[in-house]
Amino acid sequence: EGAKLTTPPIEIVAQGNLAIEQYYKSIEQEGEQANLNELKVVLVGDGGAGKTSLVRQIFGDEFNKFESQTHGIEVRKYSFQSRFRPIKVNFWDFGGQEIMHATHQFFLTKRSLYLLVLDSRLTQEENRIEYWLKIIHSFGGNSPVLIVGNKIDQHPLDIDRTGLQKKYPNIVGILETSAATGAGIEELKTAITEQVNNLPHVRDLLPETWFTVKTKLEGLGQEENFITQDKYLELCAENDVSDETSQRTLIGFLHDLGVVLHFQDDPRLESLGILNPQWVTNGVYKILNSHELFKNKGVLERSMLN
């Protein structure tokens, strides 16, 4: 019913009484719990709005007016100081080109904070704000959205703020920035910190053994592009995450955080976990951008796939 549960996490409650019992049983057995303290921030918006330049400003990098357009995804990690302790934030920066939009659905997850970056020189319609807000709602559920009008050094942001917030109640703020001059960047950081503090799932209490599996998967991701389901289950068993409900819930958390990509509701894909999002994205874009495919009038023959 929309209760802001942190213990047990809402995903466990949604699976019913047995899942709740197993959650408490695992805590009884292991004793130790810790807060999640991690969040995925997803930047979306049309190409050329300045998403990458904004991320660079947040990280304290110099502005590059010749910044090349992002193809695919770039993931960067940042630490925000919350009221209690540092929160690890994974920034996912997407290429905004039209051909890339079909692959966004791989990565737009629930339990995220969305930054919808606009080019303030353009109109509301030219920025396709409603298109993006509908996409976010389709794949991100009720995740909060910060609208960021960038390039205000060239033109102030002119959108129907009241109308948009009334129609899309998950808009939690509308800000104006200039990645070129640094204007509004501190306000943006403050707004992100505020959302980090307000989102209850950031402080979900999870068994320590789940963190052990998470850390090991992150380590594997430095060396491997993907993991099979059997290997994942083996890793869980080795680290005392032995019941099926915990294994499924944990992989769901890790998918939403962007540690792995695992589409457990799709029987065609559930046997595979992607550890390196760039690897799978670049693979898909190789097909979408293929000159051979262009010459073949968009018809993809199986023989071309290798």
Side-chain angles (χ1 to χ4, degrees):
E1 299 295 322
K4 292 184 176 180
L5 288 169
T6 56
T7 310
I10 198 78
E11 287 84 351
I12 290 170
V13 176
Q15 293 178 56
N17 287 353
L18 182 62
I20 295 169
E21 284 175 23
Q22 285 178 329
Y23 172 82
Y24 282 114
K25 206 175 286 178
S26 68
I27 289 165
E28 271 175 40
Q29 288 164 354
E30 292 142 22
E32 293 297 315
Q33 279 182 297
N35 292 103
L36 187 57
N37 291 336
E38 190 164 346
L39 179 69
K40 181 177 175 184
V41 172
V42 183
L43 288 94
V44 294
D46 282 353
K51 298 185 289 296
T52 303
S53 296
L54 272 183
V55 174
R56 288 175 66 84
Q57 279 281 13
I58 289 169
F59 278 75
D61 299 340
E62 277 186 35
F63 175 71
N64 174 11
K65 68 176 179 181
F66 303 110
E67 187 78 59
S68 58
Q69 284 213 320
T70 305
H71 293 275
I73 302 170
E74 285 180 16
V75 182
R76 294 184 72 176
K77 297 182 184 301
Y78 190 84
S79 184
F80 279 89
Q81 185 60 47
S82 79
R83 283 193 295 263
F84 310 102
R85 57 181 62 81
I87 305 280
K88 191 160 81 172
V89 176
N90 306 315
F91 280 90
W92 287 54
D93 174 18
F94 285 90
Q97 293 83 339
E98 190 66 50
I99 201 166
M100 311 303 183
H101 292 181
T103 55
H104 281 15
Q105 61 185 289
F106 298 166
F107 312 107
L108 303 189
T109 51
K110 300 179 176 73
R111 300 171 65 91
S112 303
L113 169 64
Y114 284 84
L115 302 189
L116 171 52
V117 183
L118 312 177
D119 182 338
S120 65
R121 300 170 302 178
L122 305 178
T123 66
Q124 183 164 316
E125 288 69 31
E126 287 170 328
N127 272 302
R128 302 191 305 160
I129 298 178
E130 296 220 34
Y131 162 82
W132 283 110
L133 289 168
K134 283 170 185 164
I135 289 271
I136 291 167
H137 183 70
S138 294
F139 300 108
N142 292 319
S143 294
V145 180
L146 285 170
I147 292 180
V148 185
N150 193 33
K151 306 191 181 182
I152 57 157
D153 54 307
Q154 298 176 51
H155 196 279
L157 181 66
D158 183 17
I159 58 172
D160 177 11
R161 297 167 189 244
T162 309
L164 284 167
Q165 286 183 299
K166 198 172 177 184
K167 192 170 178 183
Y168 300 95
N170 56 327
I171 297 172
V172 292
I174 298 174
L175 300 105
E176 297 186 43
T177 61
S178 166
T181 66
I185 298 299
E186 286 307 314
E187 289 82 351
L188 175 59
K189 284 175 157 178
T190 301
I192 294 170
T193 305
E194 194 179 312
Q195 288 308 310
V196 164
N197 280 324
N198 288 342
L199 285 166
H201 61 251
V202 172
R203 289 182 294 282
D204 277 350
L205 277 170
L206 304 178
E208 281 282 8
T209 51
W210 290 24
F211 285 96
T212 308
V213 173
K214 174 179 175 289
T215 304
K216 291 195 172 174
L217 282 171
E218 286 171 326
L220 266 178
Q222 306 295 316
E223 304 154 18
E224 306 284 341
N225 291 321
F226 59 87
I227 186 172
T228 62
Q229 189 172 31
D230 289 345
K231 175 80 176 163
Y232 167 70
L233 296 177
E234 202 178 292
L235 192 64
C236 284
E238 285 169 9
N239 294 283
D240 300 322
V241 183
S242 46
D243 67 276
E244 191 185 337
T245 306
S246 294
Q247 292 165 350
R248 280 183 65 81
T249 307
L250 173 57
I251 199 80
F253 273 125
L254 297 178
H255 172 79
D256 284 345
L257 284 175
V259 175
V260 296
L261 293 174
H262 182 253
F263 305 97
Q264 59 184 347
D265 297 327
D266 189 328
R268 297 164 301 175
L269 298 171
E270 66 179 354
S271 63
L272 197 64
I274 307 295
L275 298 172
N276 180 352
Q278 274 95 341
W279 170 76
V280 74
T281 314
N282 292 340
V284 173
Y285 291 161
K286 271 204 175 84
I287 297 168
L288 292 178
N289 295 320
S290 159
H291 188 64
E292 277 182 80
L293 192 59
F294 172 73
K295 286 193 297 188
N296 208 32
K297 295 187 166 61
V299 178
L300 178 65
E301 311 281 354
R302 187 180 283 268
S303 58
M304 298 163 131
L305 275 174
N306 283 338

